[in-house]
Amino acid sequence: MSKTALITGASQGLGAAMARRLAKDGYNIAINCYSPAEQENGGNAVAEDCRNMGVEAECFIADVSDFSACEEMVKAVKGRFGSIDVLVNNAGITKDGLIARMTEQQFDAVTNVNYKGVFNMIRHVSPVMIRQRSGRIVNVSSVAGVYGNAGQLNYSASKAGVVGMTLTAAKELGSRGITVNAIAPGFIKTPMTDVLDEKYKESILGNIALRRFGEPEEVASVVSFLASDDAAYVTGQVIVIDGGLSM
């Protein structure tokens, strides 16, 4: 039976690149979209790209911050494909602001998706993997969650929390044949970074050893490795993918 990968937030950016790479690797792909509009404006095209690589692919709509919606989505993916072998927790949002001006709504919105959403998905997918006695979970953190970033208290806190969940889940699930790792991308060319001020981008580039932003495909290649048999003895790790920004 073919293996299946479920990627949250996979209608564009990093998630779309991960979906395409894992499809190239031979996985059937379950693409999570936040809404029907997101499915129409990106998810369906990503699914078609995956199917063109000879695998099955389908979009599943769910707000990852909603515990019950995640439960229903996991049931639907399992019913459609028969297994969930790889979970990539990629869905994430930003609502930046300095501490003195950050609102409760900004803080809650970001942590509900980026942090609680990861818990929701691990909570519902892990029983499936436990019954299979195998699985790969890859959580998308950020260099902001490892080193902090001014103006992103909510985002940095949520991504730091993802690191903590990764380490704990790795310890709890390892005996069941399940690996749990995190990646911490730096500045990658995505819709999230496209909106940044040009002067700010230039200032960041000066601190990156490779003097360029990363490509989504470069992040997807690390996810591909962590999902593969080659990474069977790798768990509880946080892999920074930032071109040398954090050195």
Side-chain angles (χ1 to χ4, degrees):
M1 184 174 67
S2 298
K3 291 186 176 181
T4 299
L6 166 57
I7 305 108
T8 66
S11 67
Q12 62 178 357
L14 288 181
M18 294 169 189
R20 295 186 184 102
R21 176 53 190 264
L22 291 176
K24 182 180 178 181
D25 293 343
Y27 291 90
N28 292 326
I29 305 295
I31 297 165
N32 160 245
C33 299
Y34 171 74
S35 65
E38 189 174 278
Q39 179 178 343
E40 287 295 322
N41 294 325
N44 287 337
V46 176
E48 185 62 23
D49 288 344
C50 294
R51 286 192 286 267
N52 287 338
M53 296 181 198
V55 301
E56 298 182 53
E58 188 172 323
C59 294
F60 297 82
I61 297 170
D63 176 356
V64 296
S65 69
D66 185 322
F67 187 82
S68 297
C70 290
E71 182 178 21
E72 291 305 311
M73 177 173 65
V74 169
K75 288 179 180 177
V77 174
K78 176 69 163 58
R80 168 67 175 82
F81 294 106
S83 69
I84 301 176
D85 304 280
V86 177
L87 167 65
V88 183
N89 284 307
N90 168 74
I93 63 171
T94 58
K95 290 185 180 294
D96 298 344
L98 296 174
I99 296 170
R101 297 191 183 96
M102 185 169 289
T103 66
E104 181 181 17
Q105 186 276 333
Q106 285 176 295
F107 186 86
D108 288 348
V110 170
T111 54
N112 281 343
V113 173
N114 299 6
Y115 177 59
K116 183 173 180 283
V118 174
F119 161 73
N120 290 343
M121 292 303 300
I122 292 177
R123 171 63 182 81
H124 294 305
V125 169
S126 58
V128 176
M129 292 182 170
I130 288 170
R131 287 192 292 271
Q132 296 170 174
R133 298 200 65 81
S134 66
R136 300 278 192 269
I137 298 174
V138 182
N139 299 321
V140 180
S141 180
S142 167
V143 290
V146 180
Y147 300 102
N149 195 30
Q152 289 193 313
L153 178 74
N154 49 4
Y155 185 78
S156 297
S158 69
K159 293 301 188 178
V162 168
V163 171
M165 276 193 282
T166 298
L167 301 179
T168 298
K171 290 182 177 181
E172 289 191 16
L173 300 175
S175 63
R176 309 301 184 95
I178 301 166
T179 65
V180 188
N181 293 286
I183 58 171
F187 281 82
I188 311 298
K189 293 178 183 177
T190 67
M192 192 178 288
T193 57
D194 287 343
V195 300
L196 296 175
D197 179 78
E198 288 301 321
K199 288 186 177 180
Y200 179 67
K201 288 183 183 180
E202 290 176 9
S203 69
I204 293 297
L205 279 172
N207 293 319
I208 297 174
L210 295 180
R211 295 296 189 270
R212 66 176 178 83
F213 289 161
E215 298 290 342
E217 291 75 18
E218 293 175 308
V219 177
S221 68
V222 179
V223 173
S224 171
F225 166 70
L226 292 173
S228 73
D229 291 341
D230 290 338
Y233 203 57
V234 179
T235 196
Q237 301 304 303
V238 181
I239 300 176
V240 176
I241 312 167
D242 69 354
L245 172 65
S246 55
M247 290 194 301

